[in-house]
Amino acid sequence: MITTNPIMLWRFALTLLIGLPAVAVGDCGTGVIPVSRIQGPGDHSPFAGQTVSVEGIITMDARQQGGFRGFYLQQADGETDNDPKTSEALFVYTHRTDGQHGDRVHVSGRVKEFHGLTELTDITSITRCGNGRLPEPVSVTLPWQDGQPPEHLENMWINVAGELTVINHYNLARYGELTLAAEPQTMATEIQEPGPGAQSRHRQQTINRLLLDDGLGARNPRPIPWPGPPLSAGNTVRTGDKVSGLAGILDFRFGAWRLQPQSTPAFSPANPRPPAPERPESATLRVVTLNLGNFFNGDGRGGGFPAARGAQSATQFEQQKARLVAALTAPDPDILAVTEMENDGYDGDSAIAELATALGSHWRYVETSDNTGSDAIRTDLLYRSDRVLVEGSASRLTTTPFDRRGRPPVAQVFRPINSDQALRVVVPHLKSKACRGASGPNRNQDDGQGCYSHSREQASRAIIRWTNILPNPNSLSGTMITGDLNAYARETPLQLLEAAGFINVSVHSRTSCHPAENRPTVTSHFSTRGYPHEKAPYPRTVAGPG
């Protein structure tokens, strides 16, 4: 029967609409541009600044609290352009809540390059087009193909074949991320002289890294995500450990390629923590060096937090102090050379006084005058008074370049009890490689040494001149420079010290410098002068780059 009754026609149309899926007729499947065209074959979208419509599958939703405020959209497998030079996925930055993981959606918005990430922003509409079929992950390996950044896989779902090695965990607690590579990577200037070759090696190493992220944009995630289950005293992760089962979205944020995982990867310990080294029978002194990581104790009476640096609460400070005491006492040292101590004097409420008390009743600290510099942190020395005596007064280098700014090095002569031989220990902390404020010769010279290389060179020359004019007691057997030089073995500061007659124990104690054969270790930055290496009675000390 055919009717022209308007009421009947309206009811019939309403019945059809009720039976349809929740999509907007005319949106899905119309007016879309393939994602691969928007991405283009280069690192910059040819559609940047234009408003476009795309359609694809939500492969990962990052709109949860603390997330990236958007989702990853990838073209369905049957709709790709089969061009290996173009990515098939975009990041959609939006506060809208439409769509969820696995949905096929139609999205309209403006194309933007956000710090190297191609994304859609200023979203005007998101239309759900029904359930989608997730694309198959692309299998990848590191190093990246042809040693080039994986721009052609940006925002796509990938699966990393085999296992990768943890080479850095500096940002694990702060940002929930680990740096991975196909194999351990030795810093270029640890094994090569600064120059084009070292810089080229550094760039290739940087390209061939993948950060395991946590899918969050928040700082200080709790619990700390890796390894899964979360990090704890009984479930740790160390450089050299292996990671497999890596699958998720290949993301680009904060200047690095990242994996936003879809499932928890598997961690395999491969570099177990060695026991504390035993004291050799021939040792007369054991010197341990450590960067304290901003040891600030508030007002020294349990309050005054958050401090200017370091711990943000009394609880955090107590945790930091406990960890440091455990690390510093495990090797059973006689002398401690430390950096990043709060520069707050030497009275009973000072940070160094609190650390000495925490270390135990036999520990004392070396006190210098008020010429500790204008920096918020300083270098310091502590010692076991039941094993070691101090000879003379401590000194600090306060002439150029330490007369204006910086952290004046400290020097003190120590003599073991019941011995007539003494050792001078010098503790510097040179300018870091961070580039903020760098100008002129302190800018990055593209030689592998980073920023402020000129500043570190001038400081090293001043330290050499200073050690040559310091008074030498008759019992002095040698001088040890140990601290944080912020330089690797082949860089200018270490080369200058070697040329001045110091022995770089870090280099001389190695059996191999081949990057693939070295287990990842913290690089030593210190020298001794006064003994031939094979006869030196002072065992190796360790200090990490700051």
CSV table of all heavy atoms in Angstrom, one decimal, residues 482-540:
chain,number,residue,atom,x,y,z
A,482,THR,N,88.8,13.8,42.4
A,482,THR,CA,87.6,12.9,42.3
A,482,THR,C,86.3,13.7,42.6
A,482,THR,O,86.3,14.4,43.6
A,482,THR,CB,87.7,11.7,43.2
A,482,THR,OG1,86.5,10.9,43.1
A,482,THR,CG2,87.9,12.1,44.7
A,483,GLY,N,85.4,13.7,41.7
A,483,GLY,CA,84.2,14.4,41.8
A,483,GLY,C,83.3,14.3,40.6
A,483,GLY,O,83.2,13.2,40.0
A,484,ASP,N,82.7,15.4,40.2
A,484,ASP,CA,81.8,15.4,39.0
A,484,ASP,C,82.4,16.4,38.0
A,484,ASP,O,82.1,17.6,38.2
A,484,ASP,CB,80.4,15.7,39.5
A,484,ASP,CG,79.4,15.4,38.4
A,484,ASP,OD1,79.8,15.2,37.2
A,484,ASP,OD2,78.2,15.3,38.7
A,485,LEU,N,83.1,15.9,37.1
A,485,LEU,CA,83.7,16.8,36.1
A,485,LEU,C,82.7,17.0,34.9
A,485,LEU,O,83.0,17.8,34.0
A,485,LEU,CB,85.0,16.2,35.5
A,485,LEU,CG,86.1,16.0,36.6
A,485,LEU,CD1,87.4,15.5,35.9
A,485,LEU,CD2,86.4,17.2,37.4
A,486,ASN,N,81.6,16.3,34.9
A,486,ASN,CA,80.7,16.4,33.8
A,486,ASN,C,81.4,16.3,32.5
A,486,ASN,O,81.1,17.0,31.5
A,486,ASN,CB,79.9,17.8,33.9
A,486,ASN,CG,78.7,17.7,34.8
A,486,ASN,OD1,77.8,16.9,34.5
A,486,ASN,ND2,78.7,18.5,35.8
A,487,ALA,N,82.3,15.4,32.4
A,487,ALA,CA,83.0,15.1,31.2
A,487,ALA,C,83.4,13.6,31.1
A,487,ALA,O,83.6,13.0,32.1
A,487,ALA,CB,84.3,16.0,31.1
A,488,TYR,N,83.5,13.1,29.9
A,488,TYR,CA,83.9,11.7,29.7
A,488,TYR,C,85.3,11.6,29.3
A,488,TYR,O,86.0,12.6,29.1
A,488,TYR,CB,83.0,11.1,28.6
A,488,TYR,CG,81.5,11.0,29.1
A,488,TYR,CD1,80.6,12.0,28.9
A,488,TYR,CD2,81.1,9.9,29.9
A,488,TYR,CE1,79.3,11.9,29.4
A,488,TYR,CE2,79.8,9.8,30.4
A,488,TYR,CZ,78.9,10.8,30.1
A,488,TYR,OH,77.7,10.7,30.6
A,489,ALA,N,85.8,10.4,29.2
A,489,ALA,CA,87.3,10.1,29.3
A,489,ALA,C,88.1,10.9,28.2
A,489,ALA,O,89.2,11.3,28.4
A,489,ALA,CB,87.5,8.6,29.2
A,490,ARG,N,87.5,11.0,27.0
A,490,ARG,CA,88.2,11.7,25.9
A,490,ARG,C,88.0,13.1,25.8
A,490,ARG,O,88.5,13.8,24.9
A,490,ARG,CB,87.9,11.0,24.6
A,490,ARG,CG,88.1,9.5,24.6
A,490,ARG,CD,89.6,9.1,24.9
A,490,ARG,NE,89.8,7.7,24.9
A,490,ARG,CZ,90.9,7.1,25.3
A,490,ARG,NH1,91.9,7.8,25.7
A,490,ARG,NH2,91.0,5.8,25.3
A,491,GLU,N,87.2,13.7,26.7
A,491,GLU,CA,86.9,15.1,26.6
A,491,GLU,C,88.0,16.0,27.2
A,491,GLU,O,88.9,15.5,27.9
A,491,GLU,CB,85.5,15.4,27.3
A,491,GLU,CG,84.4,14.7,26.5
A,491,GLU,CD,83.0,15.1,27.1
A,491,GLU,OE1,82.9,16.2,27.8
A,491,GLU,OE2,82.0,14.4,26.8
A,492,THR,N,87.9,17.2,26.9
A,492,THR,CA,89.0,18.1,27.2
A,492,THR,C,89.4,18.1,28.7
A,492,THR,O,90.6,18.1,29.0
A,492,THR,CB,88.7,19.6,26.8
A,492,THR,OG1,88.4,19.6,25.4
A,492,THR,CG2,89.8,20.5,27.1
A,493,PRO,N,88.5,18.2,29.7
A,493,PRO,CA,89.0,18.2,31.1
A,493,PRO,C,89.8,17.0,31.4
A,493,PRO,O,90.9,17.2,32.1
A,493,PRO,CB,87.7,18.2,31.9
A,493,PRO,CG,86.7,18.9,30.9
A,493,PRO,CD,87.1,18.4,29.6
A,494,LEU,N,89.4,15.8,31.0
A,494,LEU,CA,90.2,14.6,31.4
A,494,LEU,C,91.5,14.6,30.6
A,494,LEU,O,92.6,14.1,31.2
A,494,LEU,CB,89.4,13.4,31.1
A,494,LEU,CG,88.4,12.8,32.1
A,494,LEU,CD1,89.2,12.4,33.4
A,494,LEU,CD2,87.3,13.8,32.5
A,495,GLN,N,91.5,15.1,29.4
A,495,GLN,CA,92.8,15.1,28.6
A,495,GLN,C,93.8,16.1,29.2
A,495,GLN,O,95.0,15.8,29.2
A,495,GLN,CB,92.5,15.4,27.2
A,495,GLN,CG,91.6,14.4,26.4
A,495,GLN,CD,92.3,13.0,26.4
A,495,GLN,OE1,93.4,12.9,25.9
A,495,GLN,NE2,91.6,12.0,27.0
A,496,LEU,N,93.3,17.2,29.7
A,496,LEU,CA,94.1,18.2,30.3
A,496,LEU,C,94.8,17.6,31.6
A,496,LEU,O,96.0,17.8,31.9
A,496,LEU,CB,93.4,19.5,30.6
A,496,LEU,CG,93.0,20.3,29.4
A,496,LEU,CD1,92.1,21.5,29.9
A,496,LEU,CD2,94.2,20.9,28.8
A,497,LEU,N,94.0,16.9,32.4
A,497,LEU,CA,94.5,16.3,33.6
A,497,LEU,C,95.5,15.3,33.3
A,497,LEU,O,96.5,15.2,34.0
A,497,LEU,CB,93.3,15.8,34.4
A,497,LEU,CG,92.4,16.8,35.1
A,497,LEU,CD1,91.1,16.1,35.6
A,497,LEU,CD2,93.1,17.6,36.1
A,498,GLU,N,95.3,14.4,32.3
A,498,GLU,CA,96.3,13.4,32.0
A,498,GLU,C,97.5,14.1,31.5
A,498,GLU,O,98.7,13.7,31.8
A,498,GLU,CB,95.7,12.5,30.9
A,498,GLU,CG,94.7,11.5,31.4
A,498,GLU,CD,94.4,10.4,30.4
A,498,GLU,OE1,95.4,9.7,30.1
A,498,GLU,OE2,93.3,10.2,30.0
A,499,ALA,N,97.4,15.2,30.7
A,499,ALA,CA,98.6,15.9,30.2
A,499,ALA,C,99.4,16.5,31.4
A,499,ALA,O,100.6,16.6,31.3
A,499,ALA,CB,98.2,16.9,29.2
A,500,ALA,N,98.7,16.8,32.5
A,500,ALA,CA,99.4,17.4,33.6
A,500,ALA,C,100.0,16.3,34.5
A,500,ALA,O,100.6,16.6,35.6
A,500,ALA,CB,98.4,18.2,34.4
A,501,GLY,N,99.9,15.0,34.2
A,501,GLY,CA,100.5,14.0,34.9
A,501,GLY,C,99.6,13.1,35.8
A,501,GLY,O,100.0,12.2,36.4
A,502,PHE,N,98.3,13.4,35.7
A,502,PHE,CA,97.3,12.6,36.5
A,502,PHE,C,97.0,11.3,35.6
A,502,PHE,O,97.1,11.3,34.4
A,502,PHE,CB,96.1,13.4,36.7
A,502,PHE,CG,96.2,14.5,37.8
A,502,PHE,CD1,96.6,15.7,37.4
A,502,PHE,CD2,96.0,14.2,39.1
A,502,PHE,CE1,96.7,16.7,38.3
A,502,PHE,CE2,96.1,15.2,40.0
A,502,PHE,CZ,96.5,16.5,39.7
A,503,ILE,N,96.7,10.3,36.3
A,503,ILE,CA,96.3,9.0,35.7
A,503,ILE,C,94.8,8.8,35.8
A,503,ILE,O,94.2,8.8,36.9
A,503,ILE,CB,97.0,7.8,36.4
A,503,ILE,CG1,98.5,8.0,36.4
A,503,ILE,CG2,96.6,6.5,35.8
A,503,ILE,CD1,99.3,7.0,37.2
A,504,ASN,N,94.2,8.7,34.6
A,504,ASN,CA,92.8,8.5,34.6
A,504,ASN,C,92.5,7.0,34.9
A,504,ASN,O,92.6,6.1,34.0
A,504,ASN,CB,92.2,8.9,33.2
A,504,ASN,CG,90.7,8.8,33.2
A,504,ASN,OD1,90.0,8.2,34.0
A,504,ASN,ND2,90.1,9.5,32.2
A,505,VAL,N,92.2,6.7,36.1
A,505,VAL,CA,92.0,5.3,36.5
A,505,VAL,C,90.9,4.6,35.8
A,505,VAL,O,90.9,3.4,35.5
A,505,VAL,CB,91.8,5.2,38.0
A,505,VAL,CG1,91.8,3.8,38.5
A,505,VAL,CG2,93.0,5.9,38.7
A,506,SER,N,89.9,5.4,35.4
A,506,SER,CA,88.7,4.8,34.7
A,506,SER,C,89.2,4.2,33.4
A,506,SER,O,88.7,3.1,33.0
A,506,SER,CB,87.7,5.9,34.4
A,506,SER,OG,86.7,5.5,33.5
A,507,VAL,N,90.0,4.8,32.7
A,507,VAL,CA,90.5,4.3,31.4
A,507,VAL,C,91.5,3.2,31.6
A,507,VAL,O,91.5,2.1,31.0
A,507,VAL,CB,91.1,5.4,30.5
A,507,VAL,CG1,91.8,4.8,29.3
A,507,VAL,CG2,90.1,6.4,30.1
A,508,HIS,N,92.5,3.4,32.5
A,508,HIS,CA,93.5,2.4,32.7
A,508,HIS,C,93.1,1.1,33.3
A,508,HIS,O,93.7,0.1,33.2
A,508,HIS,CB,94.6,3.0,33.6
A,508,HIS,CG,95.5,4.0,32.9
A,508,HIS,ND1,96.8,3.7,32.5
A,508,HIS,CD2,95.3,5.3,32.6
A,508,HIS,CE1,97.3,4.7,31.9
A,508,HIS,NE2,96.4,5.7,31.9
A,509,SER,N,91.9,1.1,34.0
A,509,SER,CA,91.4,-0.1,34.6
A,509,SER,C,90.6,-1.0,33.7
A,509,SER,O,90.1,-2.1,34.0
A,509,SER,CB,90.6,0.2,35.9
A,509,SER,OG,89.5,1.0,35.5
A,510,ARG,N,90.3,-0.5,32.4
A,510,ARG,CA,89.4,-1.2,31.5
A,510,ARG,C,90.2,-2.3,30.8
A,510,ARG,O,91.4,-2.2,30.5
A,510,ARG,CB,88.8,-0.3,30.5
A,510,ARG,CG,87.8,0.6,31.0
A,510,ARG,CD,86.8,1.0,29.9
A,510,ARG,NE,85.9,2.0,30.4
A,510,ARG,CZ,85.9,3.2,30.0
A,510,ARG,NH1,86.9,3.7,29.2
A,510,ARG,NH2,85.1,4.1,30.5
A,511,THR,N,89.5,-3.4,30.4
A,511,THR,CA,90.1,-4.4,29.6
A,511,THR,C,89.6,-4.2,28.1
A,511,THR,O,90.2,-4.8,27.2
A,511,THR,CB,89.7,-5.8,30.0
A,511,THR,OG1,88.3,-5.9,30.1
A,511,THR,CG2,90.3,-6.1,31.4
A,512,SER,N,88.5,-3.5,27.9
A,512,SER,CA,88.0,-3.3,26.6
A,512,SER,C,87.2,-2.0,26.6
A,512,SER,O,86.6,-1.6,27.5
A,512,SER,CB,87.0,-4.4,26.2
A,512,SER,OG,86.3,-4.1,25.0
A,513,CYS,N,87.3,-1.3,25.4
A,513,CYS,CA,86.6,-0.1,25.2
A,513,CYS,C,85.6,-0.2,24.0
A,513,CYS,O,85.1,0.8,23.5
A,513,CYS,CB,87.5,1.1,25.0
A,513,CYS,SG,88.1,1.8,26.5
A,514,HIS,N,85.4,-1.5,23.6
A,514,HIS,CA,84.5,-1.7,22.5
A,514,HIS,C,83.1,-1.5,23.0
A,514,HIS,O,82.7,-2.2,24.0
A,514,HIS,CB,84.7,-3.0,21.9
A,514,HIS,CG,83.9,-3.2,20.6
A,514,HIS,ND1,82.6,-3.5,20.5
A,514,HIS,CD2,84.4,-3.1,19.3
A,514,HIS,CE1,82.2,-3.6,19.2
A,514,HIS,NE2,83.3,-3.3,18.5
A,515,PRO,N,82.2,-0.7,22.3
A,515,PRO,CA,80.9,-0.4,22.9
A,515,PRO,C,80.1,-1.6,23.1
A,515,PRO,O,79.3,-1.8,24.1
A,515,PRO,CB,80.3,0.5,21.8
A,515,PRO,CG,81.4,1.1,21.1
A,515,PRO,CD,82.5,0.1,21.2
A,516,ALA,N,80.2,-2.6,22.2
A,516,ALA,CA,79.3,-3.8,22.3
A,516,ALA,C,79.8,-4.7,23.4
A,516,ALA,O,79.1,-5.6,23.8
A,516,ALA,CB,79.3,-4.5,21.0
A,517,GLU,N,81.1,-4.6,23.8
A,517,GLU,CA,81.6,-5.5,24.9
A,517,GLU,C,81.5,-4.9,26.3
A,517,GLU,O,81.6,-5.6,27.2
A,517,GLU,CB,83.1,-5.8,24.6
A,517,GLU,CG,83.3,-6.5,23.2
A,517,GLU,CD,84.7,-6.7,22.9
A,517,GLU,OE1,85.6,-6.4,23.8
A,517,GLU,OE2,85.0,-7.1,21.8
A,518,ASN,N,81.2,-3.6,26.4
A,518,ASN,CA,81.2,-3.0,27.7
A,518,ASN,C,79.8,-3.1,28.3
A,518,ASN,O,78.8,-2.8,27.6
A,518,ASN,CB,81.5,-1.5,27.6
A,518,ASN,CG,83.0,-1.3,27.7
A,518,ASN,OD1,83.7,-2.2,28.1
A,518,ASN,ND2,83.4,-0.1,27.3
A,519,ARG,N,79.7,-3.6,29.5
A,519,ARG,CA,78.4,-3.5,30.2
A,519,ARG,C,78.1,-2.1,30.5
A,519,ARG,O,79.1,-1.4,30.8
A,519,ARG,CB,78.4,-4.4,31.4
A,519,ARG,CG,78.4,-5.9,31.1
A,519,ARG,CD,78.0,-6.6,32.4
A,519,ARG,NE,78.7,-6.3,33.6
A,519,ARG,CZ,78.4,-6.7,34.8
A,519,ARG,NH1,77.4,-7.4,35.0
A,519,ARG,NH2,79.1,-6.3,35.8
A,520,PRO,N,76.9,-1.6,30.5
A,520,PRO,CA,76.7,-0.2,30.9
A,520,PRO,C,77.1,0.0,32.3
A,520,PRO,O,76.6,-0.7,33.3
A,520,PRO,CB,75.1,-0.1,30.7
A,520,PRO,CG,74.6,-1.5,30.8
A,520,PRO,CD,75.7,-2.4,30.3
A,521,THR,N,77.9,1.0,32.5
A,521,THR,CA,78.4,1.4,33.9
A,521,THR,C,78.4,2.9,34.0
A,521,THR,O,78.3,3.6,33.0
A,521,THR,CB,79.8,0.9,34.2
A,521,THR,OG1,80.7,1.4,33.2
A,521,THR,CG2,79.9,-0.7,34.1
A,522,VAL,N,78.4,3.3,35.2
A,522,VAL,CA,78.6,4.8,35.5
A,522,VAL,C,80.0,5.1,35.2
A,522,VAL,O,80.9,4.4,35.7
A,522,VAL,CB,78.2,5.1,36.9
A,522,VAL,CG1,78.5,6.6,37.2
A,522,VAL,CG2,76.7,4.8,37.2
A,523,THR,N,80.3,6.1,34.4
A,523,THR,CA,81.6,6.5,34.1
A,523,THR,C,82.3,7.2,35.2
A,523,THR,O,81.8,8.1,35.8
A,523,THR,CB,81.6,7.4,32.9
A,523,THR,OG1,80.9,6.8,31.8
A,523,THR,CG2,83.0,7.7,32.4
A,524,SER,N,83.6,6.8,35.5
A,524,SER,CA,84.3,7.4,36.5
A,524,SER,C,84.9,8.7,36.0
A,524,SER,O,85.3,8.8,34.9
A,524,SER,CB,85.5,6.5,37.0
A,524,SER,OG,85.1,5.2,37.2
A,525,HIS,N,85.0,9.7,36.9
A,525,HIS,CA,85.6,11.0,36.5
A,525,HIS,C,86.6,11.4,37.6
A,525,HIS,O,86.2,12.2,38.5
A,525,HIS,CB,84.5,12.1,36.4
A,525,HIS,CG,83.5,11.8,35.3
A,525,HIS,ND1,83.9,11.3,34.1
A,525,HIS,CD2,82.2,11.8,35.3
A,525,HIS,CE1,82.8,11.2,33.4
A,525,HIS,NE2,81.7,11.4,34.1
A,526,PHE,N,87.8,10.8,37.6
A,526,PHE,CA,88.7,11.2,38.6
A,526,PHE,C,90.1,10.8,38.1
A,526,PHE,O,90.3,10.1,37.2
A,526,PHE,CB,88.4,10.6,40.0
A,526,PHE,CG,88.7,9.1,40.0
A,526,PHE,CD1,89.9,8.6,40.4
A,526,PHE,CD2,87.7,8.2,39.6
A,526,PHE,CE1,90.2,7.3,40.4
A,526,PHE,CE2,88.0,6.9,39.6
A,526,PHE,CZ,89.2,6.4,40.0
A,527,SER,N,91.1,11.4,38.8
A,527,SER,CA,92.5,11.1,38.4
A,527,SER,C,93.3,11.0,39.7
A,527,SER,O,92.9,11.6,40.7
A,527,SER,CB,93.1,12.2,37.5
A,527,SER,OG,92.3,12.3,36.3
A,528,THR,N,94.4,10.3,39.6
A,528,THR,CA,95.4,10.3,40.7
A,528,THR,C,96.7,10.7,40.1
A,528,THR,O,97.0,10.5,39.0
A,528,THR,CB,95.5,8.9,41.3
A,528,THR,OG1,95.9,8.0,40.3
A,528,THR,CG2,94.2,8.5,41.9
A,529,ARG,N,97.5,11.3,41.0
A,529,ARG,CA,98.9,11.7,40.5
A,529,ARG,C,99.8,11.4,41.7
A,529,ARG,O,99.5,11.8,42.8
A,529,ARG,CB,98.9,13.2,40.1
A,529,ARG,CG,100.3,13.6,39.6
A,529,ARG,CD,100.3,15.0,39.1
A,529,ARG,NE,100.0,16.0,40.0
A,529,ARG,CZ,99.8,17.3,39.8
A,529,ARG,NH1,100.0,17.7,38.5
A,529,ARG,NH2,99.5,18.1,40.7
A,530,GLY,N,100.9,10.8,41.5
A,530,GLY,CA,101.9,10.6,42.5
A,530,GLY,C,102.4,9.2,42.6
A,530,GLY,O,103.5,8.9,43.1
A,531,TYR,N,101.6,8.2,42.1
A,531,TYR,CA,101.9,6.8,42.1
A,531,TYR,C,101.8,6.3,40.7
A,531,TYR,O,100.9,6.6,40.0
A,531,TYR,CB,101.0,6.0,43.0
A,531,TYR,CG,101.3,6.1,44.4
A,531,TYR,CD1,100.5,6.8,45.3
A,531,TYR,CD2,102.4,5.4,45.0
A,531,TYR,CE1,100.8,6.8,46.6
A,531,TYR,CE2,102.7,5.4,46.3
A,531,TYR,CZ,101.9,6.2,47.2
A,531,TYR,OH,102.1,6.2,48.5
A,532,PRO,N,102.7,5.4,40.2
A,532,PRO,CA,102.4,4.7,39.0
A,532,PRO,C,101.2,3.9,39.2
A,532,PRO,O,100.9,3.4,40.3
A,532,PRO,CB,103.6,3.8,38.9
A,532,PRO,CG,104.7,4.4,39.7
A,532,PRO,CD,104.0,5.1,40.8
A,533,HIS,N,100.4,3.7,38.2
A,533,HIS,CA,99.1,3.0,38.3
A,533,HIS,C,99.2,1.7,39.0
A,533,HIS,O,98.4,1.3,39.8
A,533,HIS,CB,98.4,3.0,37.0
A,533,HIS,CG,97.1,2.1,37.0
A,533,HIS,ND1,96.0,2.5,37.7
A,533,HIS,CD2,96.8,0.9,36.4
A,533,HIS,CE1,95.1,1.6,37.6
A,533,HIS,NE2,95.5,0.6,36.8
A,534,GLU,N,100.1,0.9,38.5
A,534,GLU,CA,100.2,-0.5,39.0
A,534,GLU,C,100.6,-0.6,40.4
A,534,GLU,O,100.4,-1.7,41.1
A,534,GLU,CB,101.1,-1.4,38.1
A,534,GLU,CG,102.6,-0.9,38.2
A,534,GLU,CD,102.9,0.2,37.2
A,534,GLU,OE1,101.9,0.7,36.6
A,534,GLU,OE2,104.1,0.4,37.0
A,535,LYS,N,101.1,0.4,41.0
A,535,LYS,CA,101.5,0.4,42.4
A,535,LYS,C,100.7,1.2,43.3
A,535,LYS,O,100.9,1.3,44.5
A,535,LYS,CB,103.0,0.8,42.5
A,535,LYS,CG,104.0,-0.1,41.8
A,535,LYS,CD,105.4,0.4,42.0
A,535,LYS,CE,106.4,-0.5,41.2
A,535,LYS,NZ,107.8,0.0,41.4
A,536,ALA,N,99.7,1.9,42.7
A,536,ALA,CA,98.9,2.8,43.6
A,536,ALA,C,98.1,2.1,44.7
A,536,ALA,O,97.4,1.1,44.4
A,536,ALA,CB,97.9,3.6,42.7
A,537,PRO,N,98.3,2.5,45.9
A,537,PRO,CA,97.7,1.8,47.0
A,537,PRO,C,96.2,2.2,47.2
A,537,PRO,O,95.5,1.7,48.1
A,537,PRO,CB,98.5,2.1,48.2
A,537,PRO,CG,99.0,3.5,47.9
A,537,PRO,CD,99.2,3.5,46.4
A,538,TYR,N,95.8,3.3,46.5
A,538,TYR,CA,94.5,3.8,46.7
A,538,TYR,C,93.5,3.2,45.7
A,538,TYR,O,93.7,3.4,44.5
A,538,TYR,CB,94.5,5.3,46.6
A,538,TYR,CG,95.4,6.0,47.5
A,538,TYR,CD1,96.5,6.7,47.0
A,538,TYR,CD2,95.3,5.8,48.9
A,538,TYR,CE1,97.4,7.2,47.9
A,538,TYR,CE2,96.2,6.3,49.7
A,538,TYR,CZ,97.3,7.1,49.2
A,538,TYR,OH,98.2,7.6,50.1
A,539,PRO,N,92.5,2.4,46.1
A,539,PRO,CA,91.6,1.8,45.2
A,539,PRO,C,90.7,2.7,44.4
A,539,PRO,O,90.6,3.9,44.8
A,539,PRO,CB,90.8,0.8,46.1
A,539,PRO,CG,90.8,1.5,47.4
A,539,PRO,CD,92.1,2.2,47.5
A,540,ARG,N,90.1,2.2,43.4
A,540,ARG,CA,89.3,3.0,42.5
A,540,ARG,C,88.1,3.6,43.2
A,540,ARG,O,87.5,3.0,44.0
A,540,ARG,CB,88.8,2.1,41.3
A,540,ARG,CG,87.8,2.8,40.4
A,540,ARG,CD,87.5,1.8,39.3
A,540,ARG,NE,86.5,2.5,38.4
A,540,ARG,CZ,86.1,1.9,37.3
A,540,ARG,NH1,86.6,0.8,36.9
A,540,ARG,NH2,85.2,2.5,36.5
